[in-house]
Amino acid sequence: MDTIDGSAVSGLDVRRPGDAGFDEARTVWNAMVDHRPALIVRCRNAGDVVAALALARREGLEVGVRCGGHSVVGHGVPEGGLMIDLTPMGAVRVDPERRRAWVQGGALLGALDAATQPYGLATTAGNVSHTGVGGLTLGGGMGWLARQCGLACDNVVSYEVVTAAGEVVRASADERPDLFWALRGGGGNFGVVTEFEFRLHDVGTRALSVELDFPVGGAVPTVARWRDLAAQAPRAATCTAGVHDGVVALGLVWVGDPEEGLAHAAELESALGTPIARRVEELSYLDLQTREDSTAGHAVRRYWKGHYVTDLSLGAIEALLATEPGVRAGLQAYGGAIADVPDDDAAFSQRGTRFEYVAATGWTDPAEDADRIAAARASATRLEAFASGVYVNVLGDDGAAGVQRAYPPAKLARLAAVKAVYDPDNVFHLNQNVPPVAEPAG
């Protein structure tokens, strides 16, 4: 790209291979991703995004959009293309009286939590603080508050979006409602979101975590009891199950008054029996949101596969407990406020699911790549017969087949029609892509 006219990048913070900061900017959460863009444009505002898109058009460069960098396949870093790096756009502004937060498109979830918690406010913001607000929210946005407050996308009041044509538009329930509908779960297909306006909730600052460990052998009836209790759990509770190397951990995360959570946890423990290990921790909501952060940074190689599970039958429980060594498989309960929203109200789909399942593995030695990936796939394949679909944010190398599992046919058709309006040339295709298909005339 040394032939680019200097005037084309005037005023932009552009990094080329060999420039200071280039390798840092292209490094993402999965160390298996080693893509090298031709250009990285570090955007400070919507105007920079408009200019970056214009530059990509002039040079014929493929476009990727990077926020938190948590795509397991590295969609945000286009090999030989132009990477729109939103990380300089990390500001969060809060109005505690109106219970609103305005979040720039490059902000991380931790910045949103840190800005809202001094007022005892929050909105659904994942489980890991270094995830990007943009990627999480555009795919739907599960988190510890979702059963109380809805998904992250359910709490967006408006979006500021730069379209493929370089137009800066606003999408809300009253303004471009077609785009607003698609952005609520349709992923990064429709433009670059440069600002989110979120509705906040008075959730306080306290939380509780409960985990009870049981040996995998003979644990089917124990998990079945946990499943039945999860169906009756208060909305402040998000029930969780995890399997790793011969142990199943059953429990819950409670956001709110820990004393109420402890009473519910006592009922859970009474029903499940005596565990081989017990971890009960009262903590702040901010500590809850950071406790699963990766201390290894971007040095770990990662792979995962996921499903939605509507009916956790005994067969599904047996498949869960048969997780391969070296793989962490987990269930997180849905329901509550997630299911309150009518399915047609947003692109996000399968609100009736009971659990989200993910089989994940992490390692550092490239020689283990094939074995580690095969183990995660084998674990997920055991659950596939019991699955009802998949969360778009856990899709990896699944291609079009994965997208078809994430959305029913009618929603895919509607998404494709919105895509044809706002991105008819599929400029934004480095994502879980919905190709544009215009609605038939008449």
Side-chain angles (χ1 to χ4, degrees):
M1 291 292 108
D2 292 334
T3 59
I4 293 178
D5 182 352
S7 63
V9 297
S10 178
L12 292 176
D13 182 356
V14 176
R15 309 291 170 92
R16 296 175 171 86
D19 287 350
F22 176 85
D23 285 329
E24 180 182 0
R26 73 183 182 88
T27 301
V28 293
W29 186 64
N30 184 0
M32 292 182 71
V33 177
D34 189 24
H35 302 168
R36 299 181 66 82
L39 294 174
I40 296 174
V41 181
R42 289 175 53 78
C43 296
R44 298 155 296 191
N45 50 49
D48 283 358
V49 175
V50 172
L53 286 170
L55 177 59
R57 283 195 300 273
R58 283 195 299 269
E59 300 299 324
L61 293 175
E62 190 175 35
V63 172
V65 183
R66 185 251 169 89
C67 177
H70 272 240
S71 162
V72 74
V73 291
H75 279 143
V77 189
E79 180 69 39
L82 186 147
M83 185 178 99
I84 294 176
D85 183 3
L86 298 179
T87 55
M89 300 174 61
V92 178
R93 178 169 57 91
V94 177
D95 184 336
E97 298 300 321
R98 295 176 58 197
R99 295 186 181 179
R100 291 285 188 272
W102 291 266
V103 182
Q104 286 190 307
L108 301 183
L109 296 176
L112 173 57
D113 290 332
T116 57
Q117 273 290 279
Y119 309 103
L121 301 174
T123 197
T124 305
N127 302 355
V128 176
S129 74
H130 50 75
T131 303
V133 170
L136 178 96
T137 304
L138 290 173
M142 182 56 180
W144 297 126
L145 288 174
R147 284 175 40 81
Q148 291 188 61
C149 306
L151 299 165
C153 72
D154 297 331
N155 289 286
V156 178
V157 178
S158 68
Y159 303 82
E160 180 186 82
V161 187
V162 179
T163 69
E167 184 182 4
V168 182
V169 303
R170 184 174 182 273
S172 68
D174 300 319
E175 195 171 355
R176 295 181 179 82
D178 59 336
L179 180 58
F180 183 68
W181 177 89
L183 291 170
R184 293 175 61 209
N189 279 284
F190 308 98
V192 181
V193 177
T194 49
E195 186 178 77
F196 299 83
E197 179 186 357
F198 282 103
R199 184 181 302 108
L200 302 177
H201 303 269
D202 185 2
V203 300
T205 61
R206 304 167 72 196
L208 173 75
S209 172
V210 178
E211 291 184 320
L212 309 173
D213 288 353
F214 299 89
V216 161
V220 170
T222 308
V223 178
R225 288 193 294 274
W226 168 88
R227 171 202 63 196
D228 295 341
L229 290 166
Q232 306 163 29
R235 292 188 175 199
T238 301
C239 291
T240 61
V243 178
H244 179 59
D245 290 345
V247 173
V248 55
L250 304 172
L252 60 88
V253 167
W254 181 280
V255 179
D257 183 352
E259 293 302 318
E260 293 182 33
L262 285 169
H264 186 73
E267 295 177 14
L268 182 72
E269 189 165 357
S270 175
L272 298 185
T274 304
I276 57 173
R278 179 178 183 270
R279 293 175 297 281
V280 177
E281 180 183 13
E282 294 185 36
L283 67 172
S284 72
Y285 179 73
L286 284 176
D287 286 341
L288 170 67
Q289 288 291 89
T290 59
R291 69 170 185 167
E292 295 184 23
D293 287 2
S294 170
T295 57
H298 297 333
V300 176
R301 306 171 79 80
R302 306 177 192 273
Y303 190 83
W304 65 53
K305 297 284 283 187
H307 302 299
Y308 280 143
V309 180
T310 301
D311 179 18
L312 191 64
S313 64
L314 295 182
I317 293 171
E318 290 172 352
L320 170 70
L321 296 175
T323 296
E324 298 285 324
V327 175
R328 291 184 177 273
L331 295 173
Q332 187 167 345
Y334 275 47
I338 303 168
D340 286 347
V341 179
D343 192 67
D344 287 342
D345 277 11
F348 184 86
S349 300
Q350 303 181 70
R351 290 179 178 272
T353 193
R354 289 189 62 187
F355 301 100
E356 179 193 340
Y357 163 88
V358 178
T361 183
W363 66 102
T364 57
D365 184 355
E368 297 180 22
D369 286 0
D371 289 342
R372 292 284 193 154
I373 292 171
R377 287 176 173 169
S379 299
T381 296
R382 290 192 177 94
L383 261 292
E384 192 164 356
F386 308 97
S388 56
V390 66
Y391 179 27
V392 71
N393 277 354
V394 302
L395 288 174
D397 55 354
D398 305 81
V403 175
Q404 289 164 8
R405 291 188 65 220
Y407 307 101
K411 280 199 177 178
L412 263 181
R414 186 173 174 183
L415 286 166
V418 177
K419 176 81 167 179
V421 173
Y422 293 96
D423 185 14
D425 298 322
N426 207 8
V427 171
F428 302 114
H429 62 268
L430 291 178
N431 44 46
Q432 301 301 338
N433 193 233
V434 178
V437 179
E439 289 184 309

